Amino acid sequence: MKKRTYKIVQKAGVFLGGILLSIGIVFAVVNPTGTFEAIRDTATTLIGYVDSNDHSTAEGSHAADQGKAAVDSTIHNAVNHDAVRMVSNPVDQPVYGDQASKQESAGLPVVKLYNAAGKPVGSATLEQINDGVKVKIAVSGLTPGKHGFHVHENAIQNGDFKSAGAHFNPTHKHHGLKNPQGSHVGDMPNLVVGADGTGEGEFIIQHGTLEKNQPNSILGRSLIIHAGEDDQVTDPAGNSGDRVAGGNIPESVTR
């Protein structure tokens, strides 16, 4: 009895499959481009429902649907919001934002650097690596020579570098990469600026992280450049002098 029922169901499935295949072939013959247009329009519609921000453009365009909730007919039982996000963005990148500048960056957090007068002097890009964060920095308009360069515990408020507080030091160590009782998590080697006022470099924030809500996370803090050279041993900042430039490290944004 079970075998007979199975054969009946199997034959019915084959029959229905043949009908659907035939309809598809006829549709493709009558309108060969329509099939691909339908697939394209469906994919575009799915993308339109992914972004939670409103990026609406001209009325009637697919982008006008962005930011709206997906209707039931768009997302079927077998497809959830995560799957739709995968269609629109195959590489799931984190998003970082700075409240002060209202700027966002995807993938890697970017720090915009300014001098005491509020003029831009460069930027730094942060990247998580094993047991640390890599900093790639490029600056201009600074005095030639070596400059102390650190992560500070607070974000800069209203352009006042003093509001950044002390060096980021969650482990309560002493200052300096050469200090036998150091160092702060926020300590880094000196930034070298050439005769033309420009400088570039790669540094490692040892034991720091870009992971949110961790005691050693540098998100939401700041990068500060000092006027002089850091001697890497003297508390609290290696006799590196005044703070001449800096920028806020963005926080991760949950979408």
Side-chain angles (χ1 to χ4, degrees), residues 90-223:
V91 180
D92 188 15
Q93 296 182 326
V95 178
Y96 300 91
D98 176 30
Q99 290 184 345
S101 64
K102 305 299 182 183
Q103 295 179 339
E104 288 189 356
S105 57
L108 299 176
V110 176
V111 181
K112 301 295 184 180
L113 300 168
Y114 302 87
N115 63 19
K119 295 182 179 180
V121 296
S123 64
T125 302
L126 309 179
E127 180 183 0
Q128 184 71 56
I129 59 174
N130 291 334
D131 197 26
V133 176
K134 180 191 292 185
V135 182
K136 296 180 70 173
I137 183 173
V139 295
S140 62
L142 299 183
T143 58
K146 294 181 179 180
H147 295 262
F149 181 43
H150 317 109
V151 178
H152 284 243
E153 59 186 351
N154 303 322
I156 300 165
Q157 301 294 330
N158 301 317
D160 181 8
F161 294 145
K162 290 183 179 180
S163 63
H167 291 182
F168 180 45
N169 185 24
T171 54
H172 308 290
K173 299 289 184 66
H174 289 270
H175 168 74
L177 297 177
K178 297 179 181 179
N179 192 320
Q181 295 178 314
S183 61
H184 303 152
V185 169
D187 289 343
M188 288 183 284
N190 284 288
L191 172 63
V192 179
V193 175
D196 61 352
T198 66
E200 295 182 355
E202 286 192 12
F203 305 93
I204 304 298
I205 302 171
Q206 296 179 0
H207 311 304
T209 183
L210 296 177
E211 188 175 348
K212 196 174 182 180
N213 299 324
Q214 296 299 314
N216 59 334
S217 176
I218 65 170
L219 295 177
R221 307 188 190 280
S222 58
L223 294 178

Side-chain angles (χ1 to χ4, degrees), residues 14-35:
V14 173
F15 177 74
L16 291 173
I19 293 177
L20 291 174
L21 179 61
S22 300
I23 293 173
I25 293 173
V26 171
F27 182 80
V29 171
V30 174
N31 187 9
T33 60
T35 304

Side-chain angles (χ1 to χ4, degrees), residues 230-250:
D230 182 348
D231 65 20
Q232 298 294 342
V233 292
T234 305
D235 283 322
N239 290 325
S240 53
D242 293 336
R243 305 171 184 189
V244 296
N248 289 337
I249 300 172

